[in-house]
Amino acid sequence: MRKSRSLGLRLYDRALVEILGQVRPQTAERDQATGTYRIGNFDYHENGIALPCKPPAPPVLLVYSTGCTLVRG
């Protein structure tokens, strides 16, 4: 199995991100103590790579630009 390479993604606090298997964008929240990001029930490095866990975390597909917000209609 090949390791996936970073796609040049950078997470930031309160970023909207799309992760595999989710219908809606999720919010990334930075943990000040560890410097990691929490998306749903999983933790990720700043570059969008998931920290090891069971079950494996879904990959980050897209990080929206700063200032993007969800519009509820």
Side-chain angles (χ1 to χ4, degrees):
M1 175 183 238
R2 289 179 51 181
K3 285 190 173 184
S4 59
R5 292 184 289 161
S6 173
L7 300 174
L9 299 176
R10 286 283 176 232
L11 296 175
Y12 58 93
D13 194 34
R14 308 298 298 161
L16 286 177
V17 300
E18 288 188 17
I19 58 175
L20 186 66
Q22 296 294 315
V23 177
R24 309 184 68 194
Q26 306 291 309
T27 303
E29 296 182 8
R30 187 166 192 269
D31 182 341
Q32 297 296 330
T34 63
T36 60
Y37 291 83
R38 185 77 149 162
I39 303 172
N41 295 324
F42 301 102
D43 293 318
Y44 294 82
H45 293 286
E46 181 181 25
N47 62 2
I49 302 295
L51 284 112
C53 63
K54 295 282 184 187
V60 174
L61 302 174
L62 175 73
V63 178
Y64 288 89
S65 299
T66 306
C68 288
T69 58
L70 289 175
V71 177
R72 304 195 193 280

